[in-house]
Amino acid sequence: MPELSYLNGKIRPISETYVPVEDRGYQFGDAVYEFIASYNGKMFCMKEHLDRLQHSMQGLSFPKLSETFIENAVFELFEKAEIPRAGIYIQVSRGVAPRDHAWPKEIKLQVIMTIKEVKEVPLKLRKDGVDIIIVQDERWSNCDIKTVQILPNAMAKQKAKNQGAYDAIFVSKDGIVREGTSSNFFIVKDGRLITPPLTKNILPGITRKVVLDLAGDTGIKVEERFILKTELFSADEAFLTGTITEILGIKTIDGIQIGNGKSGEITQKLYKALREKAEI
Ligand code: PDD
């Protein structure tokens, strides 16, 4: 079960792959990415991830790269690595060119991937829920595009860790709740599931969509609407969603207990339903 990398068609051990220093992803953050997970040797929501990758590439005016080409490359790497519970990181950069803010016409997209075993969220955190903090959202206004420009996300996650918390959620300066550093955000109030609507200020999470569908299937009422910071502390439950995060209950926000201070009942029910769907 080797951990491997892919660079423009070549598959090698990760430690043997080098990206040229003038890759625009490296110098300008001029690259987009996806992260796909597999369960029991089967990729979960691959099409949805590849569609979102296309959306991100269009968002940065990249030339078209066929979905079949990327799909085949992902499968080739996945089959070589033989890791049943894998995390595949896919990055497409605008390419390599002498450093200049504008790019030359003849530049060629560069596709980089890595495949590794997924590090599961510890079971104790899944049961007990996690502590999160609030950070003001100072990111750019195209957060629906999954670019590698995620330094504010990294800084916010590190701030949370430095304070002994698990993660952070971004809240606008007007008090509108957006999303986590690498996850979407939900609350439960009076049996209803509430999550921010899709705008350019959040990533259209694949897990978010799966959770909304699962909630619909199990008869849980869903509202996609703005959540105010002031509403957070009267929520019955709150959770994060993401490809690795899956569905992760929140026990405190900025030190204030949410609901009964554990991963809530609806959170657990949806987590179970998600695992069942993914593990088929
Ligand atoms: N991140 N919001 C942000 C800012 C994210 O970075 C992610 C995912 C999500 C959840 O999206 P999805 O459900 O499609 O994974 C929401 C990935 C996992 C990452 O950065 O590695």
Side-chain angles (χ1 to χ4, degrees):
M1 291 196 224
E3 296 192 333
L4 294 171
S5 64
Y6 170 105
L7 174 62
N8 299 328
K10 292 214 166 60
I11 295 178
R12 302 189 192 90
I14 294 176
S15 59
E16 290 171 23
T17 295
Y18 296 92
V19 175
V21 72
E22 290 194 306
D23 181 286
R24 288 184 59 93
Y26 175 61
Q27 291 187 325
F28 293 99
D30 193 357
V32 296
Y33 78 102
E34 274 302 321
F35 192 88
I36 310 181
S38 73
Y39 293 80
N40 300 332
K42 216 177 108 218
M43 233 100 61
F44 185 55
C45 292
M46 178 157 177
K47 167 129 183 53
E48 289 79 355
H49 281 282
L50 295 186
D51 286 351
R52 188 172 64 188
L53 186 64
Q54 292 289 341
H55 166 81
S56 298
M57 288 196 291
Q58 273 165 23
L60 299 192
S61 308
F62 279 14
K64 178 103 182 103
L65 186 62
S66 96
E67 203 158 302
T68 333
F69 170 82
I70 304 181
E71 192 179 342
N72 289 341
V74 172
F75 274 125
E76 193 191 345
L77 184 68
F78 188 56
E79 273 166 22
K80 277 234 165 81
E82 292 184 328
I83 301 174
R85 181 81 170 106
I88 303 181
Y89 175 78
I90 309 167
Q91 178 173 320
V92 183
S93 86
R94 195 180 306 272
V96 182
R99 186 177 182 278
D100 188 356
H101 287 63
W103 52 87
K105 263 208 187 90
E106 60 281 4
I107 192 162
K108 214 168 144 266
L109 296 178
Q110 175 144 265
V111 181
I112 303 153
M113 291 191 271
T114 58
I115 183 162
K116 296 184 181 188
E117 178 108 36
V118 166
K119 277 202 199 88
E120 302 276 359
V121 174
L123 271 178
K124 184 164 165 45
L125 292 186
R126 288 238 173 264
K127 261 185 62 202
D128 295 353
V130 294
D131 301 306
I132 62 163
I133 61 164
I134 291 173
V135 167
Q136 190 172 311
D137 196 355
E138 287 170 348
R139 299 173 301 162
W140 75 332
S141 49
N142 296 297
C143 291
D144 60 314
I145 305 175
K146 202 163 172 50
T147 77
V148 301
Q149 300 189 99
I150 46 174
L151 186 58
N153 308 51
M155 300 285 285
K157 174 92 185 190
Q158 189 61 45
K159 185 174 179 190
K161 278 186 97 174
N162 293 348
Q163 293 182 15
Y166 180 81
D167 209 339
I169 52 168
F170 291 113
V171 173
S172 78
K173 65 177 188 319
D174 310 317
I176 296 169
V177 179
R178 293 198 165 142
E179 62 180 338
T181 62
S182 61
S183 53
N184 291 108
F185 180 78
F186 287 74
I187 58 172
V188 177
K189 182 70 185 165
D190 299 329
R192 296 171 87 84
L193 192 59
I194 309 167
T195 195
L198 293 183
T199 62
K200 289 174 78 61
N201 294 314
I202 66 167
L203 188 80
I206 308 298
T207 323
R208 173 189 180 280
K209 171 78 168 64
V210 171
V211 168
L212 289 175
D213 291 346
L214 287 172
D217 295 347
T218 41
I220 300 168
K221 292 241 163 44
V222 165
E223 273 179 53
E224 290 179 71
R225 66 152 173 90
F226 293 112
I227 300 171
L228 300 178
K229 181 179 166 185
T230 48
E231 282 178 80
L232 290 176
F233 306 107
S234 57
D236 301 324
E237 300 180 30
F239 60 84
L240 302 171
T241 66
T243 296
I244 295 301
T245 310
E246 299 176 309
I247 297 174
L248 185 58
I250 293 168
K251 68 171 188 229
T252 67
I253 301 180
D254 273 353
I256 298 169
Q257 181 176 314
I258 304 300
N260 65 4
K262 285 202 202 109
S263 185
E265 207 177 295
I266 291 183
T267 307
Q268 294 291 343
K269 189 173 164 187
L270 287 168
Y271 174 64
K272 199 164 159 266
L274 173 75
R275 284 299 293 219
E276 276 165 14
K277 184 178 168 71
E279 284 170 3
I280 283 172

